Amino acid sequence: MRDVIFDHNRAARIGLPEAVFCEGKPRASVLELLATLGVERDAPVLFTRLAADIVAELPAHLRVQLDYHPLSRTAFAARMPARTGRVAVVSAGTADSAVTWEAARTLDYLGIAATVYEDCGVAGLWRLVERIGDINAHDVVIVVAGLDAALASVLGAMTPKPVLAVPTSVGYGVANGGITALNSMLTTCAPGVGVFNIDNGYGAACAASRILGAR
Amino acid sequence: MRDVIFDHNRAARIGLPEAVFCEGKPRASVLELLATLGVERDAPVLFTRLAADIVAELPAHLRVQLDYHPLSRTAFAARMPARTGRVAVVSAGTADSAVTWEAARTLDYLGIAATVYEDCGVAGLWRLVERIGDINAHDVVIVVAGLDAALASVLGAMTPKPVLAVPTSVGYGVANGGITALNSMLTTCAPGVGVFNIDNGYGAACAASRILGAR
Amino acid sequence: MRDVIFDHNRAARIGLPEAVFCEGKPRASVLELLATLGVERDAPVLFTRLAADIVAELPAHLRVQLDYHPLSRTAFAARMPARTGRVAVVSAGTADSAVTWEAARTLDYLGIAATVYEDCGVAGLWRLVERIGDINAHDVVIVVAGLDAALASVLGAMTPKPVLAVPTSVGYGVANGGITALNSMLTTCAPGVGVFNIDNGYGAACAASRILGAR
Amino acid sequence: MRDVIFDHNRAARIGLPEAVFCEGKPRASVLELLATLGVERDAPVLFTRLAADIVAELPAHLRVQLDYHPLSRTAFAARMPARTGRVAVVSAGTADSAVTWEAARTLDYLGIAATVYEDCGVAGLWRLVERIGDINAHDVVIVVAGLDAALASVLGAMTPKPVLAVPTSVGYGVANGGITALNSMLTTCAPGVGVFNIDNGYGAACAASRILGAR
Amino acid sequence: MRDVIFDHNRAARIGLPEAVFCEGKPRASVLELLATLGVERDAPVLFTRLAADIVAELPAHLRVQLDYHPLSRTAFAARMPARTGRVAVVSAGTADSAVTWEAARTLDYLGIAATVYEDCGVAGLWRLVERIGDINAHDVVIVVAGLDAALASVLGAMTPKPVLAVPTSVGYGVANGGITALNSMLTTCAPGVGVFNIDNGYGAACAASRILGAR
Amino acid sequence: MRDVIFDHNRAARIGLPEAVFCEGKPRASVLELLATLGVERDAPVLFTRLAADIVAELPAHLRVQLDYHPLSRTAFAARMPARTGRVAVVSAGTADSAVTWEAARTLDYLGIAATVYEDCGVAGLWRLVERIGDINAHDVVIVVAGLDAALASVLGAMTPKPVLAVPTSVGYGVANGGITALNSMLTTCAPGVGVFNIDNGYGAACAASRILGAR
Amino acid sequence: MRDVIFDHNRAARIGLPEAVFCEGKPRASVLELLATLGVERDAPVLFTRLAADIVAELPAHLRVQLDYHPLSRTAFAARMPARTGRVAVVSAGTADSAVTWEAARTLDYLGIAATVYEDCGVAGLWRLVERIGDINAHDVVIVVAGLDAALASVLGAMTPKPVLAVPTSVGYGVANGGITALNSMLTTCAPGVGVFNIDNGYGAACAASRILGAR
Amino acid sequence: MRDVIFDHNRAARIGLPEAVFCEGKPRASVLELLATLGVERDAPVLFTRLAADIVAELPAHLRVQLDYHPLSRTAFAARMPARTGRVAVVSAGTADSAVTWEAARTLDYLGIAATVYEDCGVAGLWRLVERIGDINAHDVVIVVAGLDAALASVLGAMTPKPVLAVPTSVGYGVANGGITALNSMLTTCAPGVGVFNIDNGYGAACAASRILGAR
């Protein structure tokens, strides 16, 4: 009854191919998209928020063509052509890892080299101090943190690189599903930090791609 | 028509005399309380959130008996007896100074020695690092910060002392009148940080007094 | 792929060892941490928000080494050295017991003696009045309450001791997952009450430890 | 251009005459209503939230006919016939007095005897305990409180009478313009407490009137 | 480890016996309370928000002694002595029935006669108009409604009786779990309507009991 | 420095000419627009939210060309050509009149005949019942109400005409600047009521114009 | 115990028959209504938010009489008489399809022809531009969108037809269950767009019916 | 009493010199900073949110050295050295101009060439379409919009450049001081758009500087 109108032209227009956000879409639609676009190797498509049990439902001959990463819930059949520029993805803790790796995997799909630095939360500041030299050797810095997201401020004040901040929904009580981390990042006193929706590791990776493309 | 029932017994019961929060009270009531309790030197009373223009309305012979501090909007005629123990009041920036000094002045009134360390925001972390030794020589640490209040997390992870955190209402947009700073402090990953209402420097000073009294 | 960077030095720095908040962490990471750090008796680690079904998955020889408390969902293999000072944990009702016992168990782990007083809600004020003498014989008072959290105000006005208030998420409608209790505690007219995140019994226990350490 | 359609029949239908809430109405409309309905002695009308500077604009011969009470900002030219039954209006503090007296004045206008008990906040619980016998000699109890509104719970647990609770907008930070007091009253563990909009002393007085009328 | 301190004296103090709100309490505690207090016929106790699957776990000889009503999730073993006075419980629609019957069942337990009028929502105003005469023959009116809760305003403007309004959590989107109905009731232009927490049919019944007792 | 780019083509595209919302625009820009577009009689422009003191600053020869209506804060120099179709604007009370007349004046400017029915709030339902026949003789009904906005539900259930609902910001406390009225209208059980932003009388008038144009 | 009072007269009064919103209603009530009203072919009733597993519980001879559409969760046994006028239902993406088709199915039930245009989100604006001519050939336009709902603004600025906007609850983080889409639609700069509750496709269809009926 | 600790080293550390946000700082502090740092030509400092009446208080010989821009409320005495790279600042309307120009002026101070495109709101989409070629000739695009902020989505889908989105606080009702624009931008379906706090033109300019510096 419905025909999905795919925006095949998006990559030419904005440098980023259309991706499929799977959560909330009817299960049948996701399966159909996986079976068609998902295994297309010439114009590879990224699937995000893809539940493991949907992948498990795919016929085996399709499933093997798909590179599925359970922690980040991302999948793709092939990568975009490799590009110059390197991105550091720095996170506060293990609880943020699903989002951290959504960013890293999206960069991987986009053909961009990424290094992940986890467990850099400010409760043990020495962990960040030891690594800041390495981090600053990258072209763009993505920072992923929940709760009070103090890492965004501290890191933003230690690097001259573009800083892209992703709040996460970890925590309880007034962590408020990530709203506190989001607002904390938006009000950081470190100047020039761009912020993304809660848990939107994909968005920060796309912004890094725009920045690297603009060089 | 109304007779204020003052809780003169409070100091004996909880170690803290009643104070008068002036904002929102009818102007006439505040003036009457200033003219009576305000100049009582034997059982001195603290006035907080006291607007300068109300003080200016007091007859001169009463006004000279009152120690009024415009920045913190606090007043008292005499101090409580001096006590042992020292408190560090550490703030993120100049914009927090009204609250910072409400805490410091309340401690002064309660007979407790306080040292104020302003402009320690994490956007220039070296400012805090240089002073952490001095700060840790105190018995209790009060931290005052607005916006993302990252200072509370960073400082809480650098000191073993009791940490009392006061969010401030500085900032705009999603600073949201201090709600973001408050929630940020409540979700700090530094363990064991007690939090107070937005701009409540008075409350943190009272908590420091309880702690020093419990020794 | 990820290596957790444990902050082993935290106890020396702030007097409180790192703890593991289990909720939201990938299940495999929690199991690995339990199997390694969790059974370490020389530098014992506290696990909080640890679901019973994860514990049940541990091999039996590890499980027996772990002191797991289902109501509070806490676990540890050994206690920190015993310290002087006593803490009263006072709660409003049975519905608050998971949080009440998270505080009591954390104190136990930290080597601090704690007495628990449950069912002291103000709807039957005589229950608190009968016990206030006993409570005031402790060095620090933790108060745990949900809904309107009136207990924090009433108790804060009856004790000169440091008061640490933990709102709980019990209730429905405008109890709002504990936000009403939290805001009620933050606006209490009892002076000097430090407040913690909703359901954060662990945090209040850590603050009590800081206070007892500061003596 | 506009003709106000007054609901003259309301008293016959629900036992309460229409009142005029002045705030937000065009100034000219309020003045016109004061000059006509306001001085009508046979079917007296109550004006609430009436600013003093509007009253000052009335011609002197009208102004003298009006009983205006500045603290509560209420006015009427005559009272309704006296009725049996007595109401206690109990408030937490001086800062609540505008609302406290809006309730008391509305009762006065409705022909109902009211006793006001101010400064009964739980920070000094003895003030309420000393008066509870007197309060319970009334037929209905109105409780007025801001901030954490703990008084509603404590009083609700000490009286068998109908309890009508009015939150006030006093306070700062998370007092949130009275929302915290409102939600605190709505979640009180004292059973059977009816709650009114923030600062709505008028509404509670009308409810008391309904209760006394139902006897 | 924990001993529940039951407030047996409450009925003497405020005219309402203690009730047990079961939701959120540990399952074992609820079962123990049901097995002891729940079957006590001389001082019968009301259980609210009691899930059917907990009742099903009770031994059969206890279960038969308990009058359990699944729709309202209430249970008691016996009623309080019958009292004079009648209460009308008027609801907007079928979706409100769990709350409607929680009110009606609580009244039944308290020994008060109640009549239930369902499906009176203003979308078909004739349904209310036809019944208003009957409703007004009662001493107290409880109104139960969700969504925009317009019924509270319309009914409050048609009856001189005490009106107790209970918002319900029915609906989706900006119905917002009952917040819209709650705020709508609190801002009703019908004067003198007391409001209760969302879904709190129990509270309104207790308030009705206070009113009937005050006669 | 800036050149406003006026969308002169809008009327041809969507049947509604561009209007100027003055609030928040720099004062100088508004004055310049009034002096140029404002007095253009061939392509008349509507100004909304135009403060009286800005109009007073216009040179007299321009001011006389402008039809300014202070209550609704609207101005225009000429009307659009008259069109067929009639709109009823029904409001709850006098406090809503600024919004009521913004709708009526916009219709007037658009060349559409409007009848205004004020003071139809449900607290006196007879006022609406008496007028419903007249109202239903119009082609479109705009309903304007604040507080609980019960009028939208009641009226929506009495008319088969298109109903356009405008919440107003009147009221205090949980009226919440019109949010309660807005959410109440959005959750009305009367089917098919379209809702507009708080105080947006202009928007409802434009929607009425679209509806009449679609005939 | 309860008898549903069906408002059979509604169609005569407002041109729209009563419908049954199934979510939140007791399961037994829904089944009973399906078995009676649901299969009535002369005065067909629409069921919305009807879960597939409830339909599956119906006896087969009833189930076959019911036209159930799983994606939109709507059911009816027969249509209302066909009417003139056509409605375009335009949506941003596949994730909105449950709401999109609730609108389309309701129109179908009401006897109104509808065309559905899916996947018109502004991230690929050419998809809307290509279809705008077709869309403008309809009498009313319903726009369905979640997230930032930019489609409502863009489409509202491209069509002179009545525009009815339905926000959807798709998305995560600050999409906030549809609140962002709702507020975005309410603040659109395209003039004259009426808005409905989140996910309320049914409501928009009813409004379209009112508009077509008013012609 | 207080000595501001200026972070002179910030430019070397993160490539951005410290700036002075004046709003909320004590007036005397701002004047002192203007008189010292403000006229320093070798290490020029940017002042933001600087009220015109504070500038007017400066002695004339200082005031002439300061380049003050009233619309954006920014001031500086000299520019940073000119750098390569060009930024487009695109806004929805005149009401956004204070923020638009805060961004443009900050870029100017940082030595970066900026082009401003105002009045590009989607209500007249042709205005953006005509200019998109020019805009895409820049290296970075800043988009400034309030209300529903649909421009961010539309523009983000038309350009491959880094997009930095600044919501503004214009509008009324559910525009909610810019929260709706903020959330709309955070949920945009255009991938890779970094968002800043409400009205934070300064922040977006700093982010542009980081991006240009990273090349």
Side-chain angles (χ1 to χ4, degrees), chain F residues 88-92 115 117-118 120 128 135 141-145 151 155:
Chain F
V89 185
V90 184
S91 85
T115 320
Y117 300 86
E118 289 192 285
C120 294
L128 182 62
I135 291 167
V141 177
I142 292 176
V143 54
V144 180
L151 178 59
L155 182 49

Side-chain angles (χ1 to χ4, degrees), chain B residues 21-47:
Chain B
F21 180 87
C22 301
E23 215 169 70
K25 285 210 174 57
R27 196 177 188 88
S29 302
V30 174
L31 279 166
E32 193 189 309
L33 288 169
L34 280 170
T36 52
L37 300 171
V39 295
E40 178 59 71
R41 301 189 65 84
D42 293 336
V45 170
L46 173 69
F47 290 78

Side-chain angles (χ1 to χ4, degrees), chain C residues 121-125 147-150 153-154 157-158 172-176 180 182-191, chain D residues 121-125 147-150 153-154 157-158 172-176 180 182-191:
Chain C
V122 302
L125 204 53
L147 300 168
D148 64 345
S153 286
V154 172
M158 283 181 168
Y172 60 95
V174 295
N176 201 5
T180 292
L182 170 69
N183 288 348
S184 185
M185 285 169 163
L186 286 165
T187 56
T188 175
C189 44
Chain D
V122 302
L125 204 54
L147 302 167
D148 64 346
S153 287
V154 172
M158 284 182 167
Y172 60 96
V174 294
N176 203 2
T180 293
L182 170 69
N183 288 349
S184 184
M185 285 169 162
L186 286 166
T187 57
T188 175
C189 45

